[in-house]
Amino acid sequence: MGVESKDKIPLLDLARLHAPLEGELLEAFLETLRSGNFIQGPIVEEFEAKLAKSVGVQNVIGVSSGTDALLVSMMALEVEPGDEIITTPYTFFATAGCIARLGARPVFVDIDDNTFNIDPSLVPAAVTEKTVGIIPVHLFGQCVDMDPILETASINGLWVLEDAAQAIGAEYDGKYSGSLGDMGIFSFFPAKNLGALGDGGAVTTNDKRLAEKVRSHRQHGSQNKYKHEDVGGNFRLDSLQAAFLSVKLPHLRSWEDGRRRVATIYNEELKDLENLQLPHEVQKLHHVYNQYVVRSNKRDALARALDSAGIGSAVYYPLPLHLQECFKELGYSAGDFPMSERASKEALALPVDPLLEDQQLQKIIQTIRNLSK
Ligand SMILES: *Cc1c(COP(=O)(O)O)cnc(C)c1O
């Protein structure tokens, strides 16, 4: 059979998303080109100020990626070898990878089966004398239940670093992700809700001292040229990416509405299918659907059926982090985190493109319904 490429439906169509902004993006490129200033400077500062305002935090520090945002945040928090940091095994690799890169130990806690997010009720039992912090990950665009996490942190004197890479714009009790913990991070990887035209990321914090530490670490631990207070690195956000992000930021809300519109239609049209579990939206959270993730015990068959119909889908994440080769010496084994392991076998992300057309949406829904009959 074979579906013609023009009829294919990718998971996310970035060319279509950017088409209406071509003029503005080109203008941003020319402005940066003509400024002759490509590293740090006013273009980056302007974007940082706009993002700080929209998230409701005192400080935003633009950095080179979401991964580097995690790394540089933990450098500012003075994470040391041997420290234990609690997080979820059901997340993108970077969350735990950055902990390990600093010589610290990721301590995993299983997820809540409904939300795919870390189960806050299991966190207190994971705290030891070596624990220094918690990294809750707002997976797929929905916030972790933060109150009990913040309470556990405050009782035990731990910091909280939000991994909000997938959840820019998501809310918890009326406050934005990235403004809930001591620090937060965003990723501007192109497929995130606010994507650059390349790599980028940001650190958020209301703590002035931590913000200064991040600014220092971003630039080789140096606030004044050739004087180094810390051993940092090159974690800077390109001016060009900051210029593109400033063009895209004002559209974030409307894209989010587009994602939520698609999700609402899936929720309605697929709710009667017995073999399919739809995302669980928690009332007090504003889910921004970076991914619309369903669960099925026939996940692989569903993915294949979608693929033969020319419809994109993706598995986030096929192997939980406690079972990764590189974390073997942490001593975890299969069966340790049953909810995460089950999710890795059942989860499938469907297209939740903000500009998905009705006809495309109907084709996806029909394909899924036909298979589930
Ligand atoms: C994307 C992502 C990151 C890393 O961001 P990059 O910009 O790709 O480095 C970290 N954590 C989570 C949960 C992510 O989804």
Side-chain angles (χ1 to χ4, degrees):
M1 323 186 283
V3 181
E4 280 194 50
S5 72
K6 70 171 175 48
D7 295 323
K8 286 201 171 157
I9 306 173
L11 198 59
L12 177 63
D13 189 342
L14 283 173
R16 176 173 58 194
L17 193 78
H18 290 136
L21 302 179
E22 244 174 46
E24 274 181 88
L25 291 167
L26 282 169
E27 213 171 285
F29 169 76
L30 281 176
E31 211 172 292
T32 311
L33 180 69
R34 288 168 185 161
S35 80
N37 191 347
F38 307 115
I39 304 288
Q40 303 292 85
I43 298 173
V44 172
E45 281 162 24
E46 198 182 307
F47 170 67
E48 290 173 337
K50 282 187 219 162
L51 187 61
K53 196 159 169 244
S54 87
V55 174
V57 287
Q58 301 287 323
N59 309 280
V60 165
I61 305 100
V63 294
S64 32
S65 69
T67 302
D68 287 343
L70 285 163
L71 192 66
V72 81
S73 296
M74 282 189 276
M75 288 165 82
L77 289 161
E78 296 176 25
V79 167
E80 287 179 2
D83 287 350
E84 291 183 2
I85 294 159
I86 295 171
T87 192
T88 162
Y90 194 68
T91 175
F92 180 60
F93 178 75
T95 317
C98 290
I99 298 172
R101 283 170 70 184
L102 292 171
R105 182 187 170 86
V107 172
F108 296 119
V109 165
D110 211 357
I111 55 170
D112 176 328
D113 217 17
N114 287 316
T115 61
F116 299 105
N117 280 331
I118 193 166
D119 182 341
S121 73
L122 303 176
V123 173
V127 177
T128 74
E129 278 176 0
K130 292 183 180 164
T131 312
V132 295
I134 308 173
I135 307 184
V137 181
H138 307 313
L139 207 67
F140 303 145
Q142 180 164 252
C143 282
V144 168
D145 188 8
M146 287 297 285
D147 282 343
I149 298 275
L150 294 168
E151 195 187 325
T152 303
S154 130
I155 291 169
N156 295 284
L158 313 175
W159 47 255
V160 174
L161 166 60
E162 292 171 76
D163 183 340
Q166 302 182 9
I168 193 166
E171 292 169 35
Y172 180 81
D173 269 347
K175 285 178 76 183
Y176 286 111
S177 73
S179 74
L180 305 162
D182 299 290
M183 304 184 89
I185 72 99
F186 296 124
S187 161
F188 306 127
F189 182 77
K192 302 290 159 83
N193 281 21
L194 179 64
L197 309 184
D199 276 312
V203 176
T204 59
T205 183
N206 284 317
D207 185 318
K208 195 162 169 261
R209 195 190 59 81
L210 286 172
E212 274 166 18
K213 273 281 170 203
V214 172
R215 285 205 180 91
S216 158
H217 279 294
R218 166 174 73 175
Q219 182 110 293
H220 295 293
S222 169
Q223 301 274 37
N224 301 302
K225 233 176 178 178
Y226 305 121
K227 294 267 169 64
H228 301 268
E229 300 85 44
D230 301 295
V231 180
N234 174 355
F235 301 120
R236 296 177 301 239
L237 175 67
D238 287 347
S239 308
L240 201 50
Q241 295 305 338
F244 294 144
L245 287 163
S246 281
V247 169
K248 292 183 73 178
L249 181 60
H251 300 274
L252 182 61
R253 263 293 165 176
S254 80
W255 289 329
E256 192 181 294
D257 291 344
R259 288 172 179 276
R260 289 184 55 81
R261 171 187 159 269
V262 173
T264 307
I265 295 172
Y266 281 138
N267 286 346
E268 195 49 40
E269 303 277 328
L270 299 175
K271 68 176 178 205
D272 59 318
L273 298 179
E274 273 174 21
N275 286 325
L276 208 67
Q277 217 176 307
L278 305 182
H280 182 90
E281 242 192 87
V282 181
Q283 197 93 62
K284 67 176 171 184
L285 310 181
H286 178 71
H287 197 323
V288 295
Y289 288 105
N290 180 242
Q291 301 295 346
Y292 183 92
V293 177
V294 298
R295 300 177 69 140
S296 162
N297 50 18
K298 298 200 185 87
R299 190 261 315 271
D300 295 337
L302 179 57
R304 276 195 300 274
L306 290 166
D307 184 54
S308 1
I311 298 164
S313 70
V315 174
Y316 302 114
Y317 297 92
L319 188 65
L321 299 185
H322 66 289
L323 301 178
Q324 297 288 346
E325 175 77 21
C326 65
F327 290 143
K328 218 164 44 184
E329 71 260 37
L330 294 177
Y332 291 110
S333 45
D336 284 348
F337 304 110
M339 299 305 164
S340 300
E341 289 166 33
R342 199 159 73 84
S344 71
K345 294 186 177 80
E346 294 183 353
L348 190 69
L350 304 179
V352 64
D353 190 316
L355 303 183
L356 201 64
E357 292 159 16
D358 285 334
Q359 200 188 340
Q360 296 180 310
L361 193 48
Q362 286 316 317
K363 182 176 168 189
I364 300 166
I365 289 165
Q366 266 325 310
T367 307
I368 297 172
R369 292 195 68 86
N370 288 343
L371 187 84
S372 308
K373 258 195 276 191

